[in-house]
Amino acid sequence: MEKLNAYLAELFEKRGYPGMAVCIRGPEGTLFEKGYGCRSMEPKKNVDGDTVFGIASMSKSMTALACCILQAEGKMSLDDPVTDYFPDFHVPGAADECVTVRTLAMHRAGIPPMEPLEWSIAKNSIERDSKWYREMLRTAPNQMNQIEQIVAYITAGNYEPLGAPGEYMSYSNEGYALLSYIVDQAAGVSLETFLKERIFAPLGMERTVLDLDGSEAKALAGGNITSLFERDEDGQLVWDDNWSVLPPFRGCACVKSTARDMAKYYQMLADGGQWEGRQVIPAEAAEWMYGREFPLRDRPFYCMGLKKRRIGGKMVCEHSGGLHGTSTQGGFVEGGYAAVVLCNEGDLGMDEFQWACYNAILGLPLETKHYYAVPNGREFRRPGMLCGDFLSKEGLPVHCTVRMEEGELAAEYHGKTVRLLYCGGADFVAVDAEHPEKRVESLRFYIRNGKAWGVECGSRIYQRTAADG
């Protein structure tokens, strides 16, 4: 653990992040807990084990777990159609009976990346002026502060569904917004109350709360809560204390917690719902979240609010998160171990820090990388079928435009020129064209009738644009 601390401290300093908290737990108890950097700059205060951070999309596993607990108690079923709870909800062209609680929780309802979460943040939060902010205000059809507005937007069908429910996984914040309100109805109490009474309190997660605007978290933290850091257009670090407010997306991204508390949560899941010798959630609820019905392989498989994969020969279940001033990753390793990394700067990937924690648990060299897509040195035989313009409408429209350039596959992705290196099947790694040692994204193409209709960029499927045929 001394080596881990030195490794993380050096990496943290090299990356230039403002603040970070790390916690590792195992059957022996707390194995590692450390704060790095600052939670605030004026006045300058350091991060410690009690510092409250946002956890962003790590919140999703808690919403999924609530659904599994309620199924175990006979109060709902994961196979309930969403129309049982929202009678006016429809995914265009899909049978209502096939769009279920389960397909929402696994991001397999056929809903493509769309705008409501970003509209909700822009319309309900205190934001700095930016191109993104101005465009979200201009395009938002309403305040996006009611779940009914999201239901109406999805049901209006001004998009092409990705496929039949259950067919393709593409990350959908809107699906988890719906799940938040499904839990309310099935439990008979709010999701906030359910999580507090059934998960946070039994685990002693005393510095954890689901709240919309950070006010409860600030009161709970007693001053030990992080500021929120970002990089401006010039790359300079700026900060404020304005939490993202996105009212209908409560169970998507609104939990605030500490690395210590979140490590307790993940260790409980690793132990099948047990904590300190007590069964605090039904064992079958943990099984339904990530158990044997889901494949274990090197490439992550999204279960119920958790991504499951194999690392170092062991099962790992994890989730990351990102919002304004929030970049996080946490999960557990088979055998009763948990690791959490929370950072207070937004738009960062925390993989290398999380992997170092897993490596310490597994006895691997701390610098070991765990990429699932690895270039194989071969060429894709028919690259023309991959060329085209693919679009995601989550927030500002983002294109992945694939082309042949000097005999090689290349793309414009998020305004950056990348080269595509073949990894097998229809999988590629996008690397920076000028710095090919820098990985940008993992891509998987979906091909039908001799042409790619979509490309999975990370966890979102971008669809071929209508103008591109």
Side-chain angles (χ1 to χ4, degrees):
M1 292 302 163
E2 291 180 4
K3 292 181 180 179
L4 176 64
N5 181 44
Y7 179 85
L8 293 176
E10 181 179 359
L11 188 58
F12 175 79
E13 186 71 21
K14 181 179 179 181
R15 295 289 177 259
Y17 300 159
M20 185 176 75
V22 180
C23 186
I24 301 175
R25 289 188 59 90
E28 310 91 329
T30 301
L31 302 176
F32 183 86
E33 185 177 88
K34 183 72 176 178
Y36 301 88
C38 298
R39 69 177 190 261
S40 66
M41 292 297 190
E42 296 174 357
K44 194 166 187 177
K45 295 183 179 179
N46 293 333
V47 171
D48 60 32
D50 287 324
T51 302
V52 174
F53 291 75
I55 69 167
S57 287
M58 284 168 62
S59 308
K60 288 183 171 68
S61 74
M62 298 174 176
T63 302
L65 176 57
C67 293
C68 293
I69 293 172
L70 290 167
Q71 174 169 273
E73 295 176 350
K75 295 179 180 178
M76 65 174 290
S77 169
L78 298 177
D79 295 317
D80 285 342
V82 176
T83 50
D84 285 1
Y85 304 92
F86 293 98
D88 296 331
F89 176 81
H90 309 283
V91 173
D96 290 341
E97 293 79 4
C98 297
V99 182
T100 64
V101 171
R102 189 188 307 274
T103 61
L104 290 184
M106 294 179 66
H107 300 294
R108 289 178 176 268
I111 302 171
M114 56 176 55
E115 307 93 335
L117 177 135
E118 304 270 340
W119 283 335
S120 187
I121 293 173
K123 295 287 286 185
N124 297 286
S125 308
I126 300 172
E127 294 286 337
R128 288 189 175 89
D129 184 54
S130 66
K131 178 182 177 182
W132 167 84
Y133 181 57
R134 293 191 298 273
E135 185 64 9
M136 293 302 98
L137 292 183
R138 186 187 72 82
T139 57
N142 52 55
Q143 194 69 19
M144 279 293 163
N145 60 356
Q146 302 291 327
I147 190 62
E148 291 78 12
Q149 294 162 339
I150 296 175
V151 169
Y153 187 79
I154 296 173
T155 299
N158 298 316
Y159 57 91
E160 182 67 28
L162 296 172
E167 190 172 5
Y168 297 105
M169 183 270 169
S170 184
Y171 200 86
S172 172
N173 286 297
E174 290 70 29
Y176 268 81
L178 289 162
L179 288 177
S180 305
Y181 292 84
I182 289 173
V183 170
D184 293 346
Q185 295 178 56
V189 297
S190 68
L191 173 64
E192 289 83 349
T193 297
F194 189 88
L195 295 182
K196 179 180 180 180
E197 293 179 352
R198 302 298 302 277
I199 298 175
F200 302 158
L203 296 178
M205 297 171 67
E206 297 176 351
R207 298 179 70 78
T208 303
V209 66
L210 168 56
D211 73 343
L212 289 180
D213 60 3
S215 57
E216 292 182 62
K218 291 174 184 177
L220 194 69
N224 193 354
I225 187 169
T226 184
S227 292
L228 305 166
F229 294 78
E230 300 284 353
R231 300 282 168 175
D232 64 17
E233 294 179 356
D234 298 321
Q236 298 300 307
L237 196 64
V238 295
W239 62 90
D240 57 46
D241 296 304
N242 302 321
W243 292 86
S244 293
V245 179
L246 48 165
F249 294 86
R250 303 144 57 220
C252 274
C254 295
V255 172
K256 287 80 176 174
S257 187
T258 65
R260 179 187 298 161
D261 275 6
M262 289 306 300
K264 294 178 181 179
Y265 170 74
Y266 284 117
Q267 188 181 9
M268 177 272 294
L269 290 179
D271 288 334
Q274 292 192 35
W275 176 251
E276 296 183 340
R278 297 175 293 118
Q279 193 74 41
V280 296
I281 67 166
E284 57 265 42
E287 174 67 20
W288 290 328
M289 279 192 77
Y290 62 83
R292 289 162 289 183
E293 69 176 284
F294 305 111
L296 178 59
R297 60 192 191 188
D298 293 342
R299 181 184 174 88
F301 185 90
Y302 202 100
C303 307
M304 297 282 293
L306 291 169
K307 292 182 288 185
K308 178 180 178 180
R309 64 174 300 196
R310 184 189 299 111
I311 291 180
K314 297 287 187 180
M315 179 185 73
V316 170
C317 293
E318 61 184 356
H319 210 290
S320 58
L323 271 178
H324 170 54
T326 303
S327 297
T328 65
Q329 194 155 338
F332 63 85
V333 179
E334 177 184 348
Y337 293 89
V340 176
V341 179
L342 306 180
C343 181
N344 55 9
E345 181 179 343
D347 296 323
L348 304 174
M350 304 310 294
D351 280 344
E352 55 190 344
F353 294 93
Q354 185 75 4
W355 288 346
C357 295
Y358 292 156
N359 292 335
I361 292 167
L362 296 168
L364 299 173
L366 296 177
E367 67 277 8
T368 304
K369 303 295 188 292
H370 299 288
Y371 297 115
Y372 62 87
V374 179
N376 61 14
R378 301 179 64 179
E379 300 293 331
F380 190 75
R381 292 182 61 187
R382 297 172 62 189
M385 64 173 54
L386 309 181
C387 294
D389 182 39
F390 304 88
L391 176 65
S392 166
K393 293 184 179 180
E394 190 175 17
L396 291 176
V398 177
H399 292 261
C400 180
T401 305
V402 182
R403 62 182 184 273
M404 289 297 293
E405 191 173 273
E406 298 180 357
E408 295 184 338
L409 277 167
E412 289 297 317
Y413 179 65
H414 284 257
K416 181 187 293 288
T417 300
V418 296
R419 293 176 54 216
L420 305 188
L421 306 182
Y422 184 49
C423 300
D427 293 341
F428 292 78
V429 169
V431 299
D432 190 303
E434 296 183 0
H435 303 281
E437 74 281 1
K438 294 183 179 180
R439 296 172 66 107
V440 176
E441 191 61 273
S442 299
L443 308 182
R444 166 171 281 190
F445 289 88
Y446 294 100
I447 301 165
R448 183 186 298 126
N449 298 326
K451 183 166 63 174
W453 64 264
V455 56
E456 182 181 322
C457 301
S459 59
R460 273 83 166 169
I461 295 180
Y462 293 26
Q463 293 168 284
R464 183 180 289 272
T465 60
D468 197 57

